[in-house]
Amino acid sequence: MVVDSLFLILLAAYTVIGQYSNSSSTDSNFFNGPKIAIIGAGPGGSSAAYHLQKFTSNGFNITIFEKNNYVGGRSTTIENFDSSVNSDLELGASIFTSSNQILLNAVETFGLEAISSDEIFLEYPTVLEATTGIWDGTSFLDYLNPSAYSSAILEYLYYTVKYGFSFIKFVFFLGPKIIDLFLQNYYYSNFPYKSLTDITKDIGFDLLTGETGLQYLRTHGISDKFSKIFIEATTRVNYASNIDDITGLEALVSGAGSSSGAYQVYGGNYQIFENFIESSGSSLRLNNTIQTIKSLGSTYEISSLNENGEYESESFDKVIIAAPFHLSNITIDKNGYEISDIPDVEYRELYVTFVKSSTPLNNAKLVSASPDGTAPFILATSVSETGTTLDYYSVSIVDYDDTTGNYTYKIFSESSIDDNYLLEHFFDSSSSLEIIFQHHWNPYPHLTPITEFLDFEIGENLYYLNTIEQFISTMETAALAGANVAGLISKGLNTTAIELPNSSS
Ligand SMILES: Cc1cc2nc3c(=O)[nH]c(=O)nc-3n(C[C@H](O)[C@H](O)[C@H](O)COP(=O)(O)OP(=O)(O)OC[C@H]3O[C@@H](n4cnc5c(N)ncnc54)[C@H](O)[C@@H]3O)c2cc1C
């Protein structure tokens, strides 16, 4: 149900398993094919390694350089990110949906356990089965309350009365149609593709990426009221962006994705990416920061600062950059050869704060605005009749300790927040509060309208995966870009069909 799943966007995962050591998982010399360097061990780079070996039955000699001491990039738990902190909550990417074929298939292949957000909810006490409210700073504009409706029909009726046919049109037609078209064209019939621009234009998705969410939905018969209240709640929690400041495609992905079921891997989503790397037999070099990529024509010399603080250089036949380029501090030395410039892309600023509290949310503003006197979890909107501007996006429950009775909330905000902020917005002085972890991310691009995307191959044998982030920025699409580039490189060397699993077949 849409309401269930929208509610569940906010949840995070538990328990962490294993840490990667700083050494290679398998001796990469075992694979005698072309030498490939992958820069970045997040969803994109790890998927590229996995699919390169899968399509060619281990035909490549792959080295993955990762500047962090962990695998997963922006998909990590607190513990995986910072081993001195004993908490297994998701710090970055928390959920993926049932249309995310690569991730779901990997969960099955590697014997991981995907839990639906519904299952997690059952672990919370009844008080937390409260409403998710769409909050404008002074009042709740709507509630998403799964338990209030005994049937889906009543739920649909409620939203139809409130938003007219916009709700039905979005949930049953526009959203599913876009997801079907996306899967069919980017995963199956055209896979692997050289140009994201061509395929996007061929199927008319440039209309979606070339307009803001508000414009696109307006021209497709969705009322501004539904877009601004309902869809914007999802664009803010998913992309820290208002509906008029994000592309139509990402607005649809946010809204429609939330109606197709949310999952997370028990123990942390990053395990998918660890498994990708491990099963690829790549040599993994953690704590290695790439500084320069120098073109030697069709091969490359890459220079890095290694885990001992020493500079190293090594030549590779092919290089895959699997990190947002302008955040990576890498310099490309074209050395007179033809390489496309990677445009600067502005990334959002996001603070993720975990707060342990002795009480549920109880700030007077929230409680008095709530019809039943319990403060809901919050999806904060920019719509405000009083002109209030909210600089946070969401507040969600991510843990409840039934021994101590403590609640853990996860807050997404634009700026760093402290105890005073918590008391001003979410709690009152009767709550005992502790900020257990806070992290600043550049989580996703500022998704302004765009119709021309950089090709994945930016120079001969030099590839850039994160061009896909301006199209759709998720773990799944990063993994798709990795698989797609692996497919392009494997053509002619492949031992199996170059195709992605189709869970519907
Ligand atoms: C708070 C937050 C919430 C999110 N929520 C979701 C969600 O619920 N669902 C979802 O699907 N997505 C979500 N995302 C987005 C998702 O995390 C990204 O889309 C995804 O991680 C992109 O994968 P990537 O491999 O392209 O990049 P990254 O995950 O950023 O990985 C790139 C890697 O490259 C490394 N690197 C960078 N520069 C260098 C260098 N010079 N040398 C060596 N290594 C380098 C980095 O350390 C990093 O490990 C969220 C992100 C954040 C931060």
Side-chain angles (χ1 to χ4, degrees):
M1 277 192 300
V2 66
V3 179
D4 281 12
S5 22
L6 199 58
F7 194 36
L8 299 166
I9 294 169
L10 303 170
L11 299 177
Y14 297 87
T15 320
V16 77
I17 305 172
Q19 284 273 89
Y20 249 89
S21 72
N22 205 9
S23 59
S24 51
S25 47
T26 304
D27 181 357
S28 63
N29 293 330
F30 177 74
F31 306 111
N32 290 320
K35 266 182 84 184
I36 300 188
I38 297 177
I39 303 168
S46 61
S47 163
Y50 172 73
H51 287 96
L52 279 165
Q53 303 297 42
K54 185 172 154 61
F55 293 146
T56 60
S57 304
N58 301 319
F60 297 105
N61 176 347
I62 302 173
T63 305
I64 301 176
F65 296 89
E66 168 54 57
K67 78 171 177 193
N68 289 329
N69 65 353
Y70 68 91
V71 164
R74 280 169 276 164
S75 170
T76 188
T77 58
I78 297 178
E79 227 167 43
N80 188 42
F81 178 81
D82 179 350
S83 56
S84 70
V85 183
N86 182 19
S87 169
D88 48 23
L89 297 167
E90 291 280 5
L91 180 61
S94 339
I95 57 143
F96 50 96
T97 67
S98 57
S99 56
N100 289 181
Q101 315 259 301
I102 299 176
L103 300 185
L104 278 177
N105 189 61
V107 164
E108 201 182 312
T109 305
F110 300 128
L112 300 171
E113 191 187 340
I115 33 176
S116 81
S117 306
D118 291 324
E119 289 171 75
I120 295 176
F121 240 98
L122 296 175
E123 297 177 10
Y124 295 139
T126 329
V127 60
L128 300 175
E129 284 170 17
T131 326
T132 291
I134 302 179
W135 172 247
D136 75 350
T138 45
S139 58
F140 289 103
L141 305 178
D142 206 345
Y143 296 91
L144 316 171
N145 187 352
S147 54
Y149 305 104
S150 51
S151 73
I153 297 198
L154 282 180
E155 183 186 305
Y156 296 147
L157 204 61
Y158 166 83
Y159 287 107
T160 307
V161 168
K162 179 139 189 183
Y163 298 108
F165 283 107
S166 291
F167 175 78
I168 302 279
K169 207 181 273 178
F170 186 88
V171 171
F172 291 106
F173 299 104
L174 212 46
K177 185 175 148 206
I178 295 305
I179 289 177
D180 281 354
L181 263 174
F182 173 61
L183 288 175
Q184 193 48 50
N185 287 283
Y186 293 82
Y187 280 66
Y188 307 123
S189 39
N190 298 300
F191 183 87
Y193 34 91
K194 285 175 89 155
S195 164
L196 199 52
T197 305
D198 287 352
I199 183 172
T200 300
K201 288 189 174 167
D202 283 352
I203 61 164
F205 265 34
D206 54 328
L207 300 176
L208 279 157
T209 60
E211 285 189 323
T212 68
L214 192 64
Q215 286 167 333
Y216 183 85
L217 292 170
R218 193 180 280 161
T219 50
H220 286 78
I222 305 294
S223 70
D224 282 8
K225 183 180 174 190
F226 183 71
S227 297
K228 286 291 288 174
I229 295 179
F230 208 90
I231 306 298
E232 182 167 279
T234 69
T235 60
R236 282 176 64 89
V237 66
N238 283 320
Y239 290 112
S241 301
N242 294 342
I243 187 81
D244 54 0
D245 196 19
I246 190 168
T247 65
L249 181 61
E250 284 287 42
L252 273 153
V253 165
S254 299
S258 61
S259 62
S260 60
Y263 295 92
Q264 49 198 220
V265 175
Y266 192 78
N269 295 324
Y270 75 93
Q271 294 167 97
I272 295 178
F273 313 116
E274 282 195 344
N275 275 285
F276 273 160
I277 292 178
E278 199 150 57
S279 81
S280 75
S282 303
S283 167
L284 172 63
R285 297 197 198 160
L286 295 176
N287 298 307
N288 268 256
T289 305
I290 300 299
Q291 302 203 310
T292 317
I293 303 171
K294 181 176 178 184
S295 176
L296 305 173
S298 60
T299 61
Y300 295 87
E301 182 182 81
I302 66 175
S303 307
S304 62
L305 188 60
N306 71 18
E307 67 273 31
N308 303 318
E310 295 153 354
Y311 291 98
E312 285 179 338
S313 291
E314 195 173 339
S315 294
F316 289 88
D317 299 309
K318 295 173 193 290
V319 176
I320 298 173
I321 305 168
F325 184 70
H326 71 289
L327 299 176
S328 72
N329 288 325
I330 297 172
T331 305
I332 296 181
D333 177 354
K334 295 185 184 177
N335 199 19
Y337 296 98
E338 202 176 316
I339 295 175
S340 306
D341 290 324
I342 302 175
D344 269 3
V345 175
E346 185 200 334
Y347 271 59
R348 290 296 194 192
E349 308 286 333
L350 182 77
Y351 283 80
V352 178
T353 306
F354 293 86
V355 181
K356 194 191 284 180
S357 164
S358 57
T359 65
L361 301 178
N362 58 3
N363 183 278
K365 267 186 298 189
L366 297 171
V367 172
S368 62
S370 174
D372 64 359
T374 57
F377 315 126
I378 297 165
L379 293 172
T381 175
S382 74
V383 184
S384 170
E385 281 161 17
T386 56
T388 318
T389 312
L390 295 177
D391 59 358
Y392 62 89
Y393 304 107
S394 62
V395 184
S396 59
I397 179 88
V398 289
D399 196 18
Y400 174 72
D401 183 335
D402 50 14
T403 316
T404 61
N406 283 326
Y407 305 80
T408 305
Y409 286 93
K410 183 180 189 180
I411 301 168
F412 281 4
S413 60
E414 211 174 284
S415 318
S416 171
I417 62 180
D418 58 15
D419 283 358
N420 289 335
Y421 190 98
L422 294 174
L423 288 172
E424 189 187 335
H425 294 282
F426 309 123
F427 297 96
D428 73 15
S429 53
S430 69
S431 310
S432 158
L433 300 172
E434 183 193 356
I435 293 182
I436 53 176
F437 205 77
Q438 183 170 89
H439 184 63
H440 169 253
W441 288 107
N442 288 117
Y444 3 74
H446 179 185
L447 292 151
T448 46
I450 177 171
T451 52
E452 302 284 332
F453 303 90
L454 192 64
D455 282 351
F456 290 109
E457 189 167 15
I458 57 171
E460 192 180 353
N461 294 324
L462 178 62
Y463 299 84
Y464 180 55
L465 299 188
N466 294 69
T467 186
I468 205 160
E469 283 205 70
Q470 285 171 282
F471 178 72
I472 299 176
S473 176
T474 60
M475 293 183 280
E476 172 74 9
T477 44
L480 173 64
N484 188 61
V485 162
L488 293 175
I489 293 174
S490 302
K491 270 191 174 170
L493 302 169
N494 54 308
T495 52
T496 60
I498 296 178
E499 61 187 18
L500 290 173
N502 184 343
S503 66
S504 60
S505 65

